[in-house]
Amino acid sequence: MQHVSPIREPLVTGGKTYHDITEDISRQVEAKPNIRWALALAVSLFFLGIFIYSVYRTLWYGIGEWGLNKTVGWAWDITNFVWWVGIGHAGTLISAILLLFRQKWRNSINRAAEAMTIFAVICAAMFPVLHMGRPWLAYWVLPLPNTFGSLWVNFNSPLLWDVFAISTYFTVSLVFWYLGLVPDFATIRDRATGPIARRAYALLSLGWTGSAKHWSRYETVSLILAGVSTPLVLSVHTIVSMDFATAVIPGWHTTIFPPYFVAGAIFSGFAMVLTLMIITRDVFFLKDYITLEHIESMNKIIILTGSIVGIAYITEFFIAWYSGVEYEQYAFINRATGPYWWAYWSMMTCNVITPQLFWVRKIRRSIVATFIITIFVNIGMWFERFVIIVTSLHRDYLPSSWVMFYPTKIDVGIYVGTLGLFFTLFLLFAKYFPVINMFEVKTILKSSSGVPHTLEPEKSMHATTPVTHQNRHHD
């Protein structure tokens, strides 16, 4: 006899069967692109074209195309780098940490979050490479034997730590994401009717047959990767924060940066996941799988991490006052009242005040309100990085060197262009790969409804549904 919680709402609605899940999720891969997807891709490709043009200008004419100057040597490039790395954090947290804690609500959103992580890290990696000025020499950041005498990387530099942290993070996230796709690739392989699609998905599925041995190895490797990925959630943005925390510049030299940056990364990452999931559930008609329960659960994490970020902002001001160092105190007063006051108060409004609306259950479960607030959160997190970097640099110890930073059209073009790159990759992923993890959603089906789900005889022997799922869920 099944017991259904009178409090917790089901994670899959609509009275779905195992066959329905396979049909609903596979349909968006097998069907022709709809008009909304095509329009979204066209817009993304337009912005990708802006990115390509802006990168061309940067490589051909040099970093002088950006708005940098002698005082503000870091600006939009490092701001965008930290912002994109932060957005990529939610994927690993949902995939790894929530897996280890057996949180079932992650099953419908983990794949899209993992894909978002990979695409965000690709966008982030663009900025340090472009800022080198000579990106064809980017391999010099690696500790490789060379013929240039004693030329070697500086292992004491946090910029080198970034190289190892980001590359490790990208590699583990890519393996974790692809591993989860293998069983679903096999499902689409068995359903494919065209020879090209069948061969392509057969290659991607790595010979998956769904045997007990395959499932056992799959579960083992998933847990190992989750264990490896969990420290990365904390370490990657900790190391990114050390780009600033290890400096002696007022406004940067503070020990609160590592936990502050990690909380901010999860905060912005979950906001972007929500933004994408709200669009995906509407475009691909997946409202029965990405439900209000999923949206509310993610909004609760946004409340938590947003509150931590707000406390960090207040703590920074307190420590600046408590330090008794006039330069540190001026750095923070300048942020709030100086020429970039509008950026600081935009940050405070979007990151501290706006997320507190989620304490109201009606707002927390509203699709429109959630979509708007998550947009505001990501705007606020971009301003946070801008405020930390630019306002700490533009007024240093010498008033004669005080300057303002003004972005050029190439600065803006590269930034909006990476948004085009990100959404182009995500839209292609959502169309040609299963955007929701079919077999993991099937594992929560019985616990999501009071009606026992049994397959009809003709559906249980459906040639396009892997026998593994039936064996796995009908023990």
Side-chain angles (χ1 to χ4, degrees):
M1 181 179 178
Q2 270 187 320
H3 173 72
V4 179
S5 170
I7 300 175
R8 185 168 297 170
E9 297 185 10
L11 295 173
V12 178
T13 59
K16 299 295 183 180
T17 64
Y18 299 119
H19 177 70
D20 291 335
I21 292 174
T22 302
E23 287 292 327
D24 292 344
I25 298 174
S26 299
R27 187 184 302 120
Q28 52 90 9
V29 178
E30 297 164 346
K32 292 182 179 180
N34 61 44
I35 187 65
R36 287 179 291 182
W37 181 89
L39 288 174
L41 183 64
V43 173
S44 298
L45 288 173
F46 170 75
F47 285 108
L48 180 59
I50 294 176
F51 174 74
I52 292 171
Y53 172 75
S54 300
V55 169
Y56 152 72
R57 289 289 299 255
T58 300
L59 297 181
W60 189 257
Y61 294 104
I63 302 300
E65 288 287 290
W66 297 356
L68 303 178
N69 50 60
K70 290 182 179 180
T71 304
V72 185
W74 278 1
W76 271 47
D77 50 329
I78 195 72
T79 299
N80 297 332
F81 166 73
V82 179
W83 187 72
W84 277 117
V85 172
I87 283 176
H89 255 57
T92 307
L93 186 141
I94 291 171
S95 303
I97 295 180
L98 296 185
L99 172 64
L100 296 176
F101 281 98
R102 304 297 183 186
Q103 295 296 305
K104 298 296 184 182
W105 60 267
R106 63 174 280 282
N107 291 5
S108 293
I109 61 173
N110 65 332
R111 177 164 297 157
E114 291 165 13
M116 187 195 75
T117 292
I118 294 164
F119 304 148
V121 172
I122 290 173
C123 292
M126 297 286 183
F127 292 97
V129 172
L130 290 175
H131 201 185
M132 290 177 182
R134 298 179 181 179
W136 49 90
L137 300 178
Y139 67 94
W140 281 15
V141 301
L142 301 174
L144 299 173
N146 56 74
T147 58
F148 301 105
S150 58
L151 180 63
W152 201 247
V153 293
N154 181 10
F155 287 98
N156 293 323
S157 170
L159 299 179
L160 181 65
W161 307 344
D162 274 349
V163 173
F164 295 119
I166 300 299
S167 59
T168 303
Y169 186 55
F170 177 78
T171 304
V172 173
S173 298
L174 183 64
V175 172
F176 207 171
W177 173 67
Y178 186 78
L179 178 72
L181 279 163
V182 169
D184 286 356
F185 279 148
T187 299
I188 297 174
R189 172 200 65 197
D190 295 340
R191 295 169 55 93
T193 55
I196 296 177
R198 188 182 299 114
R199 289 177 183 174
Y201 288 111
L203 182 65
L204 290 169
S205 62
L206 304 178
W208 178 273
T209 62
S211 65
K213 182 182 289 185
H214 282 186
W215 278 114
S216 176
R217 290 174 176 171
Y218 175 88
E219 298 286 355
T220 301
V221 174
S222 293
L223 286 175
I224 291 172
L225 284 174
V228 171
S229 300
T230 298
L232 290 176
V233 175
L234 303 176
S235 67
V236 172
H237 228 58
T238 295
I239 291 173
V240 170
S241 75
M242 289 179 183
D243 293 350
F244 312 102
T246 55
V248 295
I249 295 174
W252 288 5
H253 189 65
T254 173
T255 55
I256 199 177
F257 266 20
Y260 163 25
F261 269 53
V262 170
I266 297 170
F267 181 50
S268 61
F270 266 85
M272 183 62 84
V273 170
L274 269 170
T275 303
L276 294 176
M277 289 293 92
I278 288 171
I279 296 171
T280 302
R281 76 193 291 269
D282 185 63
V283 171
F284 294 115
F285 307 104
L286 297 171
K287 296 179 182 179
D288 289 328
Y289 303 101
I290 304 170
T291 66
L292 290 178
E293 188 70 17
H294 295 94
I295 291 170
E296 185 176 15
S297 297
M298 287 191 281
N299 282 338
K300 289 176 180 177
I301 294 179
I302 286 178
I303 293 174
L304 173 64
T305 51
S307 300
I308 293 172
V309 168
I311 291 171
Y313 294 159
I314 298 169
T315 304
E316 281 188 311
F317 265 87
F318 171 77
I319 294 300
W321 166 79
Y322 191 71
S323 69
V325 179
E326 59 180 333
Y327 304 108
E328 192 78 18
Q329 293 170 356
Y330 178 77
F332 285 92
I333 293 171
N334 181 54
R335 286 183 184 180
T337 63
Y340 288 111
W341 64 269
W342 52 272
Y344 178 82
W345 291 109
S346 297
M347 172 193 80
M348 292 295 287
T349 303
C350 294
N351 291 350
V352 180
I353 298 173
T354 306
Q356 302 308 314
L357 295 173
F358 282 142
W359 287 105
V360 181
R361 187 173 188 270
K362 187 175 181 180
I363 296 176
R364 198 165 62 235
R365 296 177 66 85
S366 167
I367 300 297
V368 175
T370 297
F371 185 78
I372 294 172
I373 291 173
T374 55
I375 296 293
F376 272 99
V377 166
N378 270 312
I379 292 172
M381 288 307 296
W382 188 90
F383 273 116
E384 179 202 288
R385 279 61 182 256
F386 179 82
V387 166
I388 289 173
I389 294 161
V390 174
T391 63
S392 299
L393 290 174
H394 85 114
R395 288 185 172 177
D396 58 11
Y397 294 102
L398 295 175
S400 60
S401 64
W402 290 5
V403 295
M404 293 290 289
F405 167 77
Y406 299 103
T408 65
K409 62 181 181 181
I410 301 301
D411 280 314
V412 177
I414 291 179
Y415 172 59
V416 300
T418 54
L419 289 172
L421 173 62
F422 176 81
F423 282 106
T424 298
L425 293 172
F426 188 84
L427 287 166
L428 292 173
F429 152 76
K431 179 64 190 76
Y432 296 106
F433 290 2
V435 74
I436 290 179
N437 199 323
M438 282 187 271
F439 76 89
E440 287 201 355
V441 170
K442 291 177 181 178
T443 64
I444 62 173
L445 192 59
K446 284 187 177 181
S447 62
S448 297
S449 173
V451 181
H453 293 275
T454 56
L455 293 178
E456 300 170 10
E458 66 272 19
K459 290 183 179 179
S460 65
M461 298 302 292
H462 200 290
T464 59
T465 304
V467 70
T468 61
H469 293 161
Q470 299 152 14
N471 293 340
R472 182 175 170 81
H473 303 300
H474 292 278
D475 293 337

